[in-house]
Amino acid sequence: MADALQRELSYAGVRFATFIDLDDADAESAQSEGVKGAENVEGAEGDEAVENGQSANAAASTIATQASEADVVFVGFWCDKGSCSPAVQYFLQGLVGKRVFLFGTCGFGESDEYFAQILERVRAYLPVDAQYIGGAMCQGKMGMGVKRRYEGMLEKDPENAQARMLIDNWNKAQIHPSEDDVSRIAAAAKEALEGIAE
């Protein structure tokens, strides 16, 4: 999503860094299944786990350098227990004096009020002197572990309406973020950029 958003915003002439969660796709799905961090991804042991951690640290260092040189920092995240991952929290705390636009995905995507609450929680990690210029969210995919958990609820109680709703939502989320989602978030980012240009 970050790449698509950057393409949409390239017209603006603003030099910016996009932060992508330090957890790679495998770690992200592992975390959604309850694993605590990239070093615990199945199959990563000993030296490989250390190498994964070093790769994450190198990526974080590169991203921090890009952010320090940027006029505006666009920070992307996926919703983790109603907020953002610890890696994103840490990154946000280092954006001293920066203008920041937040964009994210969340498994439950039909409530603008819920999105606003998440953005407020994530925004709280910014330093006092950072300027929050705006944010936008959309629905996003969830890992298979989440679906298995919902199916387990339904197995225990086949009449469980909440479990059925959760599975339906999981299925619906698999097509997100869509092109429409990216366009909507890009429009919000463009509006935020125009607001700081005035």
Side-chain angles (χ1 to χ4, degrees):
M1 181 151 133
D3 291 338
L5 184 59
Q6 187 169 357
R7 279 191 303 276
E8 290 266 343
L9 294 173
S10 63
Y11 87 95
V14 173
R15 195 177 68 205
F16 64 91
T18 302
F19 175 77
I20 299 173
D21 197 346
L22 293 178
D23 303 318
D24 64 16
D26 291 336
E28 183 175 327
S29 11
Q31 285 182 336
S32 73
E33 295 175 21
V35 177
K36 302 251 189 204
E39 65 279 0
N40 293 330
V41 174
E42 186 176 338
E45 296 177 4
D47 292 340
E48 185 180 353
V50 170
E51 186 177 303
N52 288 346
Q54 289 170 343
S55 296
N57 288 341
S61 176
T62 299
I63 290 166
T65 299
Q66 290 173 342
S68 72
E69 297 168 354
D71 299 319
V72 178
V73 182
F74 292 80
V75 181
F77 66 95
W78 54 277
C79 185
D80 183 15
K81 298 176 193 86
S83 186
C84 57
S85 72
V88 175
Q89 293 169 15
Y90 179 77
F91 179 77
L92 290 172
Q93 292 167 359
L95 296 178
V96 176
K98 291 295 176 184
R99 288 182 267 186
V100 180
F101 182 88
L102 299 173
F103 65 98
T105 61
C106 178
F108 287 88
E110 297 187 338
S111 171
D112 288 337
E113 294 83 21
Y114 184 51
F115 287 162
Q117 290 171 6
I118 294 167
L119 286 169
E120 281 304 310
R121 282 187 215 115
V122 173
R123 178 184 178 181
Y125 291 102
L126 290 170
V128 228
D129 66 347
Q131 181 186 359
Y132 176 70
I133 63 168
M137 294 191 67
C138 68
Q139 189 167 25
K141 295 178 181 107
M142 293 178 272
M144 280 302 296
V146 174
K147 185 176 186 184
R148 285 193 289 270
R149 188 169 57 241
Y150 297 158
E151 290 170 338
M153 291 167 60
L154 197 57
E155 237 177 71
K156 288 179 186 171
D157 179 8
E159 302 303 314
N160 186 332
Q162 180 185 13
R164 288 185 192 284
M165 181 274 303
L166 292 170
I167 291 169
D168 288 345
N169 181 71
W170 187 93
N171 290 328
K172 187 176 174 182
Q174 297 313 296
I175 62 166
H176 292 278
S178 66
E179 286 182 28
D180 286 344
D181 295 329
V182 173
S183 293
R184 190 176 47 75
I185 290 173
K190 287 175 188 175
E191 185 178 323
L193 289 172
E194 289 164 3
I196 63 173
E198 295 172 351

